[in-house]
Amino acid sequence: MAASFVPLHHVSGCFTYACPEREYRRTHFHSHGWSPAPATKYRLRPINASVGTPSFPLFQPTPVQESPSQLEPADPDFYKIGYVRSMRAYGIEFKEGPDGFGVYASKDVEPLRRARVIMEIPLELMLTIRQKLPWMFFPDIVPLGHPIFDIINSTNPETDWDLRLACLLLYAFDKEDNFWQLYGDFLPSADECTSLLLATEDDLSQLQDPDLVSTMKNQQLRALEFWEKNWHSGVPLKIKRLARDPERFIWAVSIAQSRCINMQVRIGALVQDANMLIPYADMLNHSFQPNCFLHWRFKDRMVEVMINAGQRIRKGEEMTINYMNGQQNQMLMQRYGFSSSVNPWDSIPFSGNAHVHLDSFLSVFNISGLPGEYYHNSQLADKGDNFVDGAVIAAARTLPTWSDGDVPLIPSMERKAVKELQEECQQILAQFPTTSAQDQKLLESMPEARRTLETAIKYRLHRKLFIEKVIEALDIYQERILF
């Protein structure tokens, strides 16, 4: 049965007010038929809260009898601490721009040796689901026996995380007085969402990337088939109203994909890999050089957004995190619906035999570190030299290179290699139906275009700008080393 996968600590609990004689009863297991009456005349309206699995009463020590005159009833608000919580923010503000919401510093932040907290989001506000069986989710908004259990159980926990999160998200929108009903007003609509799951066939054709087009069509078909399987005409109304049309469900999947954060969290003694929709933190935009990161504080069961140790931030500067480290633009487009011409992890599929001298190329652009951790050493660069960016870093990583100890380069061989690599880059550019200048002009002439179409054109533009940057970098390398 679907309900058998639900751990006991996901059942809502009720608390009763303690009487002066320090006698109390816990009534957590209503669904299991165990509900002793509280022996108290002071009753507090039950508070629904997700709590940990209580110790079995048989093994609890006998309560110590205290004199009634020595004890005072706790304030009713005491019972809400840790259970009815909200998000907290420190020194930041949310702003909405043409590309959606962002998080910005509301004051200057001086560098500190320790990371600094700017947001605290409690678990009660999140939608989470475990990656592996037995699957668990939070919050416990789905009652036992609800048919959404069967739908989620029919998925593969390790591959269908987006479908599972979409189901929970749609249910949260439908549940009365749920936090996500209000927060959903701040999520991008289907027209504003950049996810290629919502792209038309014409939008996808604008990508000029057959592999990515094929991948996105398969994902669209996967989401559509899942909806047709579980939202057919015979399903109960409580399921049908969650997504009356496939567009609604595909939109929920796109939100799950583009705003999901994968984290390893600890709840009690259990450490689990979870897919999480974390409100407010999902407003942080991406950067390849982020100034913030996320941290799970298991003690209080909340996610902290923290400023990097030693990071200086000015008032008005955007707070960013790194969504996916080490991924090329194709993967960023597939998952989040954006790309960048300065992605330090992008690459060019060179197929020739030409190689340039690695150490010489790195020294020309003052690039330091190991291949997986290349960075621009600005202390060695001249003032005003802003040529080196993510694209040049990516070129240092993706260009065919050679290095043989202390063997110096041979200028004639190096010149030949540079020329061959540039010619191959030009051949790749010639395969595109349009040039980068044409793409840029097209973007400027269509301010009211659909977001998915705009995203597709930006993707192909960024690919061309990246290749052009590599060609320019090879020119500079040749000038500074060989002449």
Side-chain angles (χ1 to χ4, degrees), residues 347-386:
S347 64
I348 298 176
F350 289 104
S351 59
N353 297 320
H355 295 75
V356 296
H357 192 259
L358 175 61
D359 296 334
S360 300
F361 188 87
L362 296 180
S363 64
V364 163
F365 299 106
N366 299 307
I367 296 175
S368 306
L370 300 174
E373 300 174 350
Y374 278 150
Y375 66 95
H376 180 222
N377 194 334
S378 58
Q379 294 180 348
L380 299 178
D382 297 332
K383 281 189 176 183
D385 185 5
N386 299 320

mmCIF file of all heavy atoms in Angstrom, residues 347-386:
data_model
loop_
_atom_site.group_PDB
_atom_site.id
_atom_site.type_symbol
_atom_site.label_atom_id
_atom_site.label_comp_id
_atom_site.label_asym_id
_atom_site.label_seq_id
_atom_site.Cartn_x
_atom_site.Cartn_y
_atom_site.Cartn_z
ATOM 1 N N SER A 347 32.841 24.305 -23.557
ATOM 2 C CA SER A 347 33.934 23.696 -24.328
ATOM 3 C C SER A 347 33.632 23.757 -25.816
ATOM 4 O O SER A 347 32.493 24.000 -26.233
ATOM 5 C CB SER A 347 34.156 22.243 -23.910
ATOM 6 O OG SER A 347 33.002 21.467 -24.212
ATOM 7 N N ILE A 348 34.668 23.524 -26.613
ATOM 8 C CA ILE A 348 34.561 23.453 -28.067
ATOM 9 C C ILE A 348 35.032 22.062 -28.490
ATOM 10 O O ILE A 348 36.104 21.612 -28.067
ATOM 11 C CB ILE A 348 35.426 24.533 -28.737
ATOM 12 C CG1 ILE A 348 34.939 25.929 -28.333
ATOM 13 C CG2 ILE A 348 35.390 24.390 -30.264
ATOM 14 C CD1 ILE A 348 35.806 27.051 -28.867
ATOM 15 N N PRO A 349 34.255 21.371 -29.300
ATOM 16 C CA PRO A 349 34.639 19.997 -29.698
ATOM 17 C C PRO A 349 35.708 19.984 -30.786
ATOM 18 O O PRO A 349 35.443 19.704 -31.954
ATOM 19 C CB PRO A 349 33.315 19.412 -30.193
ATOM 20 C CG PRO A 349 32.555 20.588 -30.726
ATOM 21 C CD PRO A 349 32.929 21.751 -29.833
ATOM 22 N N PHE A 350 36.952 20.282 -30.411
ATOM 23 C CA PHE A 350 38.046 20.241 -31.388
ATOM 24 C C PHE A 350 38.300 18.799 -31.824
ATOM 25 O O PHE A 350 38.268 17.874 -31.010
ATOM 26 C CB PHE A 350 39.326 20.817 -30.779
ATOM 27 C CG PHE A 350 39.271 22.313 -30.575
ATOM 28 C CD1 PHE A 350 39.080 22.841 -29.309
ATOM 29 C CD2 PHE A 350 39.410 23.180 -31.643
ATOM 30 C CE1 PHE A 350 39.037 24.205 -29.106
ATOM 31 C CE2 PHE A 350 39.361 24.549 -31.455
ATOM 32 C CZ PHE A 350 39.174 25.068 -30.187
ATOM 33 N N SER A 351 38.578 18.633 -33.112
ATOM 34 C CA SER A 351 38.799 17.280 -33.631
ATOM 35 C C SER A 351 40.150 17.127 -34.329
ATOM 36 O O SER A 351 40.529 16.021 -34.716
ATOM 37 C CB SER A 351 37.688 16.915 -34.633
ATOM 38 O OG SER A 351 37.657 17.846 -35.709
ATOM 39 N N GLY A 352 40.891 18.241 -34.485
ATOM 40 C CA GLY A 352 42.182 18.171 -35.169
ATOM 41 C C GLY A 352 43.308 17.708 -34.266
ATOM 42 O O GLY A 352 43.098 17.319 -33.111
ATOM 43 N N ASN A 353 44.516 17.755 -34.796
ATOM 44 C CA ASN A 353 45.697 17.310 -34.056
ATOM 45 C C ASN A 353 46.534 18.476 -33.525
ATOM 46 O O ASN A 353 47.607 18.261 -32.967
ATOM 47 C CB ASN A 353 46.573 16.433 -34.950
ATOM 48 C CG ASN A 353 45.858 15.163 -35.386
ATOM 49 O OD1 ASN A 353 45.136 14.553 -34.589
ATOM 50 N ND2 ASN A 353 46.031 14.769 -36.648
ATOM 51 N N ALA A 354 46.064 19.706 -33.699
ATOM 52 C CA ALA A 354 46.832 20.875 -33.270
ATOM 53 C C ALA A 354 46.785 21.024 -31.755
ATOM 54 O O ALA A 354 45.748 20.799 -31.122
ATOM 55 C CB ALA A 354 46.280 22.133 -33.940
ATOM 56 N N HIS A 355 47.945 21.415 -31.163
ATOM 57 C CA HIS A 355 48.051 21.630 -29.721
ATOM 58 C C HIS A 355 48.897 22.876 -29.470
ATOM 59 O O HIS A 355 49.884 23.104 -30.167
ATOM 60 C CB HIS A 355 48.706 20.435 -29.030
ATOM 61 C CG HIS A 355 47.915 19.170 -29.109
ATOM 62 N ND1 HIS A 355 47.833 18.433 -30.275
ATOM 63 C CD2 HIS A 355 47.178 18.513 -28.183
ATOM 64 C CE1 HIS A 355 47.063 17.365 -30.045
ATOM 65 N NE2 HIS A 355 46.659 17.395 -28.791
ATOM 66 N N VAL A 356 48.514 23.661 -28.469
ATOM 67 C CA VAL A 356 49.328 24.811 -28.078
ATOM 68 C C VAL A 356 50.010 24.500 -26.749
ATOM 69 O O VAL A 356 49.579 23.622 -25.998
ATOM 70 C CB VAL A 356 48.483 26.093 -27.944
ATOM 71 C CG1 VAL A 356 47.896 26.501 -29.278
ATOM 72 C CG2 VAL A 356 47.385 25.921 -26.904
ATOM 73 N N HIS A 357 51.078 25.221 -26.463
ATOM 74 C CA HIS A 357 51.859 24.986 -25.258
ATOM 75 C C HIS A 357 51.072 25.469 -24.035
ATOM 76 O O HIS A 357 50.740 26.647 -23.921
ATOM 77 C CB HIS A 357 53.196 25.713 -25.348
ATOM 78 C CG HIS A 357 54.170 25.304 -24.295
ATOM 79 N ND1 HIS A 357 54.407 26.059 -23.177
ATOM 80 C CD2 HIS A 357 54.955 24.199 -24.186
ATOM 81 C CE1 HIS A 357 55.311 25.449 -22.422
ATOM 82 N NE2 HIS A 357 55.659 24.320 -23.018
ATOM 83 N N LEU A 358 50.755 24.564 -23.123
ATOM 84 C CA LEU A 358 49.866 24.861 -21.997
ATOM 85 C C LEU A 358 50.432 25.957 -21.100
ATOM 86 O O LEU A 358 49.758 26.958 -20.829
ATOM 87 C CB LEU A 358 49.616 23.581 -21.184
ATOM 88 C CG LEU A 358 48.804 23.765 -19.900
ATOM 89 C CD1 LEU A 358 47.418 24.296 -20.203
ATOM 90 C CD2 LEU A 358 48.713 22.448 -19.131
ATOM 91 N N ASP A 359 51.657 25.785 -20.616
ATOM 92 C CA ASP A 359 52.214 26.753 -19.661
ATOM 93 C C ASP A 359 52.328 28.146 -20.269
ATOM 94 O O ASP A 359 52.105 29.153 -19.586
ATOM 95 C CB ASP A 359 53.591 26.274 -19.175
ATOM 96 C CG ASP A 359 53.499 24.976 -18.384
ATOM 97 O OD1 ASP A 359 52.412 24.730 -17.811
ATOM 98 O OD2 ASP A 359 54.477 24.228 -18.343
ATOM 99 N N SER A 360 52.659 28.217 -21.537
ATOM 100 C CA SER A 360 52.773 29.518 -22.191
ATOM 101 C C SER A 360 51.406 30.188 -22.296
ATOM 102 O O SER A 360 51.264 31.397 -22.056
ATOM 103 C CB SER A 360 53.384 29.357 -23.590
ATOM 104 O OG SER A 360 54.670 28.792 -23.508
ATOM 105 N N PHE A 361 50.390 29.431 -22.661
ATOM 106 C CA PHE A 361 49.043 29.997 -22.782
ATOM 107 C C PHE A 361 48.552 30.512 -21.424
ATOM 108 O O PHE A 361 47.995 31.608 -21.317
ATOM 109 C CB PHE A 361 48.073 28.942 -23.326
ATOM 110 C CG PHE A 361 46.706 29.485 -23.660
ATOM 111 C CD1 PHE A 361 46.452 30.029 -24.905
ATOM 112 C CD2 PHE A 361 45.680 29.455 -22.734
ATOM 113 C CE1 PHE A 361 45.198 30.536 -25.223
ATOM 114 C CE2 PHE A 361 44.425 29.957 -23.032
ATOM 115 C CZ PHE A 361 44.186 30.500 -24.282
ATOM 116 N N LEU A 362 48.795 29.741 -20.367
ATOM 117 C CA LEU A 362 48.360 30.164 -19.030
ATOM 118 C C LEU A 362 49.104 31.424 -18.591
ATOM 119 O O LEU A 362 48.506 32.335 -17.986
ATOM 120 C CB LEU A 362 48.599 29.038 -18.019
ATOM 121 C CG LEU A 362 47.805 27.736 -18.236
ATOM 122 C CD1 LEU A 362 48.161 26.718 -17.158
ATOM 123 C CD2 LEU A 362 46.310 27.991 -18.233
ATOM 124 N N SER A 363 50.384 31.488 -18.882
ATOM 125 C CA SER A 363 51.179 32.633 -18.422
ATOM 126 C C SER A 363 50.781 33.920 -19.139
ATOM 127 O O SER A 363 50.818 35.009 -18.550
ATOM 128 C CB SER A 363 52.670 32.357 -18.622
ATOM 129 O OG SER A 363 52.980 32.223 -20.002
ATOM 130 N N VAL A 364 50.394 33.826 -20.403
ATOM 131 C CA VAL A 364 49.996 35.022 -21.156
ATOM 132 C C VAL A 364 48.788 35.690 -20.521
ATOM 133 O O VAL A 364 48.704 36.922 -20.434
ATOM 134 C CB VAL A 364 49.708 34.640 -22.625
ATOM 135 C CG1 VAL A 364 48.893 35.733 -23.315
ATOM 136 C CG2 VAL A 364 51.008 34.407 -23.371
ATOM 137 N N PHE A 365 47.851 34.883 -20.022
ATOM 138 C CA PHE A 365 46.605 35.430 -19.464
ATOM 139 C C PHE A 365 46.590 35.414 -17.937
ATOM 140 O O PHE A 365 45.543 35.656 -17.326
ATOM 141 C CB PHE A 365 45.411 34.654 -20.015
ATOM 142 C CG PHE A 365 45.283 34.741 -21.507
ATOM 143 C CD1 PHE A 365 45.614 33.673 -22.314
ATOM 144 C CD2 PHE A 365 44.855 35.905 -22.112
ATOM 145 C CE1 PHE A 365 45.505 33.750 -23.691
ATOM 146 C CE2 PHE A 365 44.737 35.996 -23.483
ATOM 147 C CZ PHE A 365 45.072 34.916 -24.276
ATOM 148 N N ASN A 366 47.734 35.128 -17.329
ATOM 149 C CA ASN A 366 47.841 35.107 -15.864
ATOM 150 C C ASN A 366 46.787 34.195 -15.229
ATOM 151 O O ASN A 366 46.095 34.561 -14.284
ATOM 152 C CB ASN A 366 47.701 36.523 -15.294
ATOM 153 C CG ASN A 366 48.778 37.452 -15.801
ATOM 154 O OD1 ASN A 366 49.963 37.154 -15.706
ATOM 155 N ND2 ASN A 366 48.375 38.593 -16.371
ATOM 156 N N ILE A 367 46.672 33.004 -15.788
ATOM 157 C CA ILE A 367 45.744 32.002 -15.261
ATOM 158 C C ILE A 367 46.514 31.055 -14.364
ATOM 159 O O ILE A 367 47.569 30.527 -14.753
ATOM 160 C CB ILE A 367 45.057 31.239 -16.415
ATOM 161 C CG1 ILE A 367 44.200 32.213 -17.235
ATOM 162 C CG2 ILE A 367 44.206 30.103 -15.881
ATOM 163 C CD1 ILE A 367 43.583 31.582 -18.465
ATOM 164 N N SER A 368 46.006 30.843 -13.174
ATOM 165 C CA SER A 368 46.677 29.990 -12.189
ATOM 166 C C SER A 368 45.758 28.844 -11.777
ATOM 167 O O SER A 368 44.577 28.809 -12.110
ATOM 168 C CB SER A 368 47.073 30.818 -10.957
ATOM 169 O OG SER A 368 47.847 31.939 -11.314
ATOM 170 N N GLY A 369 46.334 27.911 -11.013
ATOM 171 C CA GLY A 369 45.552 26.804 -10.485
ATOM 172 C C GLY A 369 45.659 25.546 -11.319
ATOM 173 O O GLY A 369 46.391 25.482 -12.312
ATOM 174 N N LEU A 370 44.901 24.544 -10.903
ATOM 175 C CA LEU A 370 44.836 23.274 -11.618
ATOM 176 C C LEU A 370 43.699 23.320 -12.629
ATOM 177 O O LEU A 370 42.820 24.185 -12.541
ATOM 178 C CB LEU A 370 44.628 22.132 -10.620
ATOM 179 C CG LEU A 370 45.733 21.980 -9.564
ATOM 180 C CD1 LEU A 370 45.348 20.909 -8.548
ATOM 181 C CD2 LEU A 370 47.057 21.634 -10.230
ATOM 182 N N PRO A 371 43.673 22.398 -13.609
ATOM 183 C CA PRO A 371 42.621 22.444 -14.639
ATOM 184 C C PRO A 371 41.203 22.523 -14.085
ATOM 185 O O PRO A 371 40.355 23.204 -14.644
ATOM 186 C CB PRO A 371 42.852 21.141 -15.418
ATOM 187 C CG PRO A 371 44.309 20.873 -15.254
ATOM 188 C CD PRO A 371 44.664 21.346 -13.870
ATOM 189 N N GLY A 372 40.948 21.826 -12.986
ATOM 190 C CA GLY A 372 39.607 21.879 -12.401
ATOM 191 C C GLY A 372 39.365 23.106 -11.552
ATOM 192 O O GLY A 372 38.235 23.339 -11.115
ATOM 193 N N GLU A 373 40.405 23.911 -11.335
ATOM 194 C CA GLU A 373 40.267 25.080 -10.463
ATOM 195 C C GLU A 373 40.992 26.294 -11.042
ATOM 196 O O GLU A 373 41.566 27.097 -10.314
ATOM 197 C CB GLU A 373 40.816 24.762 -9.065
ATOM 198 C CG GLU A 373 40.105 23.600 -8.382
ATOM 199 C CD GLU A 373 40.773 23.224 -7.073
ATOM 200 O OE1 GLU A 373 41.883 23.736 -6.808
ATOM 201 O OE2 GLU A 373 40.191 22.419 -6.329
ATOM 202 N N TYR A 374 40.993 26.427 -12.345
ATOM 203 C CA TYR A 374 41.642 27.578 -12.974
ATOM 204 C C TYR A 374 40.974 28.881 -12.531
ATOM 205 O O TYR A 374 39.748 28.937 -12.378
ATOM 206 C CB TYR A 374 41.564 27.481 -14.495
ATOM 207 C CG TYR A 374 42.621 26.588 -15.117
ATOM 208 C CD1 TYR A 374 42.359 25.900 -16.300
ATOM 209 C CD2 TYR A 374 43.875 26.434 -14.554
ATOM 210 C CE1 TYR A 374 43.307 25.088 -16.896
ATOM 211 C CE2 TYR A 374 44.833 25.626 -15.142
ATOM 212 C CZ TYR A 374 44.546 24.956 -16.305
ATOM 213 O OH TYR A 374 45.506 24.154 -16.879
ATOM 214 N N TYR A 375 41.774 29.901 -12.349
ATOM 215 C CA TYR A 375 41.239 31.225 -12.029
ATOM 216 C C TYR A 375 42.207 32.279 -12.555
ATOM 217 O O TYR A 375 43.383 32.021 -12.794
ATOM 218 C CB TYR A 375 41.054 31.392 -10.520
ATOM 219 C CG TYR A 375 42.346 31.392 -9.729
ATOM 220 C CD1 TYR A 375 42.990 32.583 -9.384
ATOM 221 C CD2 TYR A 375 42.941 30.189 -9.319
ATOM 222 C CE1 TYR A 375 44.175 32.581 -8.675
ATOM 223 C CE2 TYR A 375 44.114 30.179 -8.602
ATOM 224 C CZ TYR A 375 44.735 31.381 -8.276
ATOM 225 O OH TYR A 375 45.923 31.386 -7.582
ATOM 226 N N HIS A 376 41.684 33.494 -12.725
ATOM 227 C CA HIS A 376 42.494 34.600 -13.218
ATOM 228 C C HIS A 376 43.199 35.254 -12.049
ATOM 229 O O HIS A 376 42.554 35.740 -11.118
ATOM 230 C CB HIS A 376 41.605 35.624 -13.940
ATOM 231 C CG HIS A 376 42.361 36.793 -14.473
ATOM 232 N ND1 HIS A 376 41.903 38.093 -14.384
ATOM 233 C CD2 HIS A 376 43.565 36.878 -15.115
ATOM 234 C CE1 HIS A 376 42.767 38.921 -14.933
ATOM 235 N NE2 HIS A 376 43.794 38.206 -15.392
ATOM 236 N N ASN A 377 44.505 35.242 -12.056
ATOM 237 C CA ASN A 377 45.286 35.861 -10.992
ATOM 238 C C ASN A 377 45.395 37.360 -11.288
ATOM 239 O O ASN A 377 46.315 37.813 -11.973
ATOM 240 C CB ASN A 377 46.670 35.211 -10.905
ATOM 241 C CG ASN A 377 47.398 35.575 -9.625
ATOM 242 O OD1 ASN A 377 47.149 36.627 -9.039
ATOM 243 N ND2 ASN A 377 48.296 34.698 -9.184
ATOM 244 N N SER A 378 44.446 38.119 -10.766
ATOM 245 C CA SER A 378 44.376 39.544 -11.082
ATOM 246 C C SER A 378 45.552 40.325 -10.512
ATOM 247 O O SER A 378 45.868 41.420 -10.991
ATOM 248 C CB SER A 378 43.063 40.125 -10.550
ATOM 249 O OG SER A 378 42.952 39.916 -9.158
ATOM 250 N N GLN A 379 46.220 39.783 -9.505
ATOM 251 C CA GLN A 379 47.358 40.486 -8.913
ATOM 252 C C GLN A 379 48.545 40.543 -9.879
ATOM 253 O O GLN A 379 49.384 41.437 -9.792
ATOM 254 C CB GLN A 379 47.780 39.812 -7.605
ATOM 255 C CG GLN A 379 46.726 39.911 -6.522
ATOM 256 C CD GLN A 379 47.172 39.239 -5.229
ATOM 257 O OE1 GLN A 379 48.172 38.522 -5.215
ATOM 258 N NE2 GLN A 379 46.442 39.469 -4.158
ATOM 259 N N LEU A 380 48.611 39.586 -10.796
ATOM 260 C CA LEU A 380 49.691 39.557 -11.778
ATOM 261 C C LEU A 380 49.339 40.334 -13.044
ATOM 262 O O LEU A 380 50.211 40.634 -13.854
ATOM 263 C CB LEU A 380 50.019 38.108 -12.157
ATOM 264 C CG LEU A 380 50.500 37.192 -11.028
ATOM 265 C CD1 LEU A 380 50.723 35.786 -11.558
ATOM 266 C CD2 LEU A 380 51.773 37.735 -10.389
ATOM 267 N N ALA A 381 48.049 40.632 -13.223
ATOM 268 C CA ALA A 381 47.613 41.290 -14.449
ATOM 269 C C ALA A 381 47.818 42.798 -14.362
ATOM 270 O O ALA A 381 47.894 43.378 -13.280
ATOM 271 C CB ALA A 381 46.149 40.970 -14.711
ATOM 272 N N ASP A 382 47.894 43.424 -15.523
ATOM 273 C CA ASP A 382 47.996 44.874 -15.579
ATOM 274 C C ASP A 382 46.655 45.498 -15.225
ATOM 275 O O ASP A 382 45.592 44.905 -15.440
ATOM 276 C CB ASP A 382 48.410 45.321 -16.983
ATOM 277 C CG ASP A 382 49.785 44.799 -17.357
ATOM 278 O OD1 ASP A 382 50.596 44.590 -16.428
ATOM 279 O OD2 ASP A 382 50.034 44.596 -18.564
ATOM 280 N N LYS A 383 46.709 46.713 -14.681
ATOM 281 C CA LYS A 383 45.475 47.419 -14.353
ATOM 282 C C LYS A 383 44.690 47.707 -15.637
ATOM 283 O O LYS A 383 45.237 48.120 -16.640
ATOM 284 C CB LYS A 383 45.786 48.730 -13.632
ATOM 285 C CG LYS A 383 46.124 48.540 -12.166
ATOM 286 C CD LYS A 383 46.194 49.883 -11.466
ATOM 287 C CE LYS A 383 46.430 49.683 -9.970
ATOM 288 N NZ LYS A 383 46.442 50.985 -9.257
ATOM 289 N N GLY A 384 43.390 47.489 -15.547
ATOM 290 C CA GLY A 384 42.544 47.738 -16.711
ATOM 291 C C GLY A 384 42.498 46.601 -17.697
ATOM 292 O O GLY A 384 41.807 46.696 -18.722
ATOM 293 N N ASP A 385 43.209 45.511 -17.441
ATOM 294 C CA ASP A 385 43.187 44.357 -18.332
ATOM 295 C C ASP A 385 42.002 43.473 -17.956
ATOM 296 O O ASP A 385 42.091 42.635 -17.054
ATOM 297 C CB ASP A 385 44.496 43.573 -18.222
ATOM 298 C CG ASP A 385 44.559 42.419 -19.228
ATOM 299 O OD1 ASP A 385 43.630 42.322 -20.049
ATOM 300 O OD2 ASP A 385 45.525 41.644 -19.184
ATOM 301 N N ASN A 386 40.874 43.689 -18.625
ATOM 302 C CA ASN A 386 39.655 42.954 -18.311
ATOM 303 C C ASN A 386 39.314 41.915 -19.367
ATOM 304 O O ASN A 386 38.174 41.452 -19.427
ATOM 305 C CB ASN A 386 38.479 43.940 -18.175
ATOM 306 C CG ASN A 386 38.702 44.941 -17.059
ATOM 307 O OD1 ASN A 386 39.204 44.583 -15.996
ATOM 308 N ND2 ASN A 386 38.317 46.189 -17.291
#
